[in-house]
Amino acid sequence: MASVIPDDELLQAEQIDKIKGNRSLSREVKRSLISEVKKSFTGHKNSSMRTIFSIANTMVGSAIVVFGLQFQKSGIFSSLITMVLMCVITTKTCALEIRHFRLDESDFPDILNRILGKKWNTIFALSSFILLFLVGAIYFTLSMNMLYPSIKFIIESCSSTVLPGLGERVFNGFSYQYTGMIGSVIFFFLYNLKELRIILKFSVLGIMAVAIFVIYSIVMAFKNIENISNLHYFDTDPKNYVVLLGIYSLSFMIHNVIVPIMKNNKEYKNNNRDLALGYGLTAGTYGFIGTFGAIAVAGLTADGQNTFFDVFEASWITCTIRLFLFVQLSTVLPIIWFVARSQLFSVIYPETIAPAYVFQGVNIIFLLFSLMVQMFNVDPSVMISITGAVGGFMLMYVIPIKLHMDCIARALARGSGKENLIDNNTNGCNIKSNF
């Protein structure tokens, strides 16, 4: 998951927060203004091609740094087959969401309120918050995982100083742990930014970072071609599949932001097709990175390696690529936390902004949790897997399927003459689909 929300949707959320924070406005006026803001961001804007790339760009993110190791550990063919199955399943459940949205609805919560009611909208908001809370901790850990080895390499290259390794727990001098503490202070200020448009300008770095990483993976694969006989093709250990399925769950997670993307597609009739193509492009990217990454690390893996870079000796090239990825992760993280915090406050403070002490308290809790995960050097693969499997369960499976089954039940009830259970003006469902 690279970018958790489209740019327009983020700007919309900022405007809504400003309206909620205006104490001179009555509750009715706030509701009216918020409704107008949502309408102003609704329109046919993007071509199918741009929509497809937006879907892929939203999904492709931090997991790419662990794919090479996981493909080699779980078997390259096993990983590809599992990936295709997960891609098909998540595409189908995601299609259930966009099947039922109406043109006057701005986001998935509007659909839930109309069809399932406020209770399920609250479940969605809290599930999304928990997921993004954990994703934010992953991004913080990975950003420090990219930054510290770069600092270590630069210092050791320019002096005789030797710094502790990434896996060492040291507190009596500069170390990976102290890098996390310093990073926490910096991110605390980023989390308090009222305007995130400056950060959005750096979003192009995400595409550049992924492109540079892909090129590096290909180069290292060709350099290690002599060890291709050590390539692992199939695996029978269930534990490796569990980790892999969790990673794919998070890697194909777009369910909580798909409606804002698809509502701006010029041709709504192509939504299902474009969604499938977006998922296909994402799966192709993952398969490409994972395959070349596995070839690059074949015969070189050892215990204690958490990311693709840990396999290779530090150099100015790896240092540069790590710094690119650090900047990319650091620009996405404040956006992730902004959306997560907004999801939480939409439940606790639906028509006003949170008090300052609550706002800062939530920020501090998130910072401390992220720092704890980073300082204990939790394996990113395990963290990604747990987050995808547990955090994404409600968002990817339970809520979309519940939504669709409820619509089917209502359609059957209407067919049996129980029209009082169906109101097409407020609870109408689209059962027919071209997907």
Side-chain angles (χ1 to χ4, degrees):
M1 198 178 201
S3 172
V4 295
I5 191 169
D7 292 357
D8 286 349
E9 206 66 21
L10 182 62
L11 298 179
Q12 173 184 304
E14 286 184 344
Q15 291 188 23
I16 291 175
D17 280 350
K18 288 180 180 178
I19 294 173
K20 288 182 177 180
N22 192 335
R23 297 182 179 180
S24 63
L25 301 177
S26 65
R27 180 177 299 180
E28 290 73 20
V29 173
K30 286 182 179 180
R31 288 177 178 173
S32 176
L33 290 175
I34 289 173
S35 177
E36 290 300 319
V37 168
K38 289 182 176 181
K39 288 180 181 179
S40 70
F41 279 88
T42 301
H44 298 191
K45 300 177 183 179
N46 300 329
S47 64
S48 287
M49 185 64 69
R50 185 172 180 181
T51 300
I52 291 168
F53 277 99
S54 179
I55 292 170
N57 186 51
T58 302
M59 283 189 280
V60 177
S62 60
I64 61 172
V65 299
V66 302
F67 273 140
L69 285 174
Q70 285 303 315
F71 269 51
Q72 172 64 1
K73 183 182 296 184
S74 303
I76 191 169
F77 290 149
S78 305
S79 300
L80 289 172
I81 293 171
T82 306
M83 180 190 69
V84 171
L85 290 174
M86 283 297 297
C87 179
V88 172
I89 293 171
T90 51
T91 304
K92 293 290 286 185
T93 59
C94 195
L96 296 179
E97 294 188 2
I98 65 173
R99 184 179 301 179
H100 300 296
F101 90 91
R102 300 191 313 197
L103 300 184
D104 60 340
E105 293 170 331
S106 64
D107 207 342
F108 189 54
D110 295 334
I111 305 174
L112 290 175
N113 272 328
R114 172 170 56 88
I115 299 175
L116 297 181
K118 186 177 180 180
K119 173 185 174 182
W120 279 92
N121 188 23
T122 301
I123 292 173
F124 167 79
L126 293 177
S127 299
S128 184
F129 166 74
I130 293 171
L131 174 75
L132 295 177
F133 186 94
L134 296 174
V135 169
I138 293 171
Y139 267 70
F140 178 80
T141 300
L142 285 175
S143 65
M144 296 300 105
N145 197 287
M146 295 297 110
L147 179 60
Y148 178 70
S150 300
I151 295 175
K152 181 177 185 297
F153 175 76
I154 293 173
I155 291 177
E156 292 180 350
S157 298
C158 299
S159 68
S160 58
T161 303
V162 178
L163 295 179
L166 192 66
E168 299 179 54
R169 209 166 289 145
V170 178
F171 295 95
N172 59 356
F174 186 75
S175 62
Y176 178 56
Q177 287 70 34
Y178 275 101
T179 303
M181 295 178 191
I182 296 170
S184 296
V185 175
I186 296 173
F187 278 115
F188 179 77
F189 289 102
L190 292 176
Y191 296 157
N192 282 278
L193 287 177
K194 295 183 178 179
E195 296 284 346
L196 295 178
R197 300 185 187 188
I198 298 176
I199 294 178
L200 289 176
K201 294 180 180 179
F202 292 93
S203 60
V204 67
L205 291 175
I207 300 175
M208 291 178 57
V210 172
I212 293 172
F213 180 78
V214 170
I215 294 172
Y216 179 71
S217 299
I218 295 173
V219 171
M220 298 309 294
F222 279 105
K223 282 188 175 183
N224 195 45
I225 199 70
E226 61 186 24
N227 285 325
I228 198 169
S229 59
N230 294 312
L231 195 61
H232 190 193
Y233 294 100
F234 285 101
D235 191 83
T236 56
D237 187 353
K239 183 178 69 174
N240 289 334
Y241 283 99
V242 170
V243 174
L244 199 61
L245 286 170
I247 292 174
Y248 285 142
S249 293
L250 187 60
S251 301
F252 286 121
M253 162 63 71
I254 196 176
H255 295 59
N256 53 342
V257 295
I258 190 60
V259 171
I261 294 176
M262 303 310 295
K263 75 178 182 183
N264 288 325
N265 200 1
K266 284 183 179 180
E267 298 291 340
Y268 285 111
K269 64 181 181 181
N270 295 332
N271 274 357
N272 288 322
R273 182 202 68 183
D274 295 344
L275 177 68
L277 291 175
Y279 264 95
L281 178 60
T282 303
T285 302
Y286 290 156
F288 188 86
I289 293 174
T291 300
F292 278 95
I295 296 173
V297 302
L300 303 176
T301 56
D303 293 337
Q305 296 169 342
N306 295 331
T307 69
F308 182 78
F309 294 105
D310 297 339
V311 178
F312 307 103
E313 186 177 346
S315 67
W316 287 107
I317 294 177
T318 59
C319 176
T320 302
I321 299 174
R322 280 182 182 270
L323 288 175
F324 260 99
L325 289 171
F326 165 72
V327 173
Q328 185 260 342
L329 292 166
S330 299
T331 54
V332 173
L333 180 52
I335 299 175
I336 290 176
W337 181 235
F338 174 86
V339 178
R341 193 174 55 210
S342 298
Q343 295 280 5
L344 178 64
F345 290 158
S346 69
V347 175
I348 303 175
Y349 305 101
E351 294 182 350
T352 185
I353 61 172
Y357 71 91
V358 175
F359 183 89
Q360 297 300 346
V362 171
N363 284 346
I364 292 172
I365 291 173
F366 174 63
L367 274 173
L368 292 177
F369 177 80
S370 301
L371 183 60
M372 180 184 68
V373 172
Q374 181 266 338
M375 291 181 70
F376 281 94
N377 201 21
V378 178
D379 186 346
S381 297
V382 175
M383 190 70 179
I384 292 172
S385 179
I386 294 174
T387 301
V390 179
F393 180 70
M394 290 294 295
L395 296 175
M396 296 179 70
Y397 305 112
V398 175
I399 293 177
I401 293 174
K402 165 65 178 174
L403 177 73
H404 190 60
M405 293 302 293
D406 195 74
C407 286
I408 291 176
R410 293 181 182 189
L412 292 174
R414 180 174 57 184
S416 62
K418 298 178 181 179
E419 287 84 0
N420 60 316
L421 296 180
I422 297 293
D423 182 353
N424 285 325
N425 293 323
T426 58
N427 296 312
C429 303
N430 178 22
I431 301 301
K432 185 179 179 181
S433 173
N434 295 321
F435 184 72

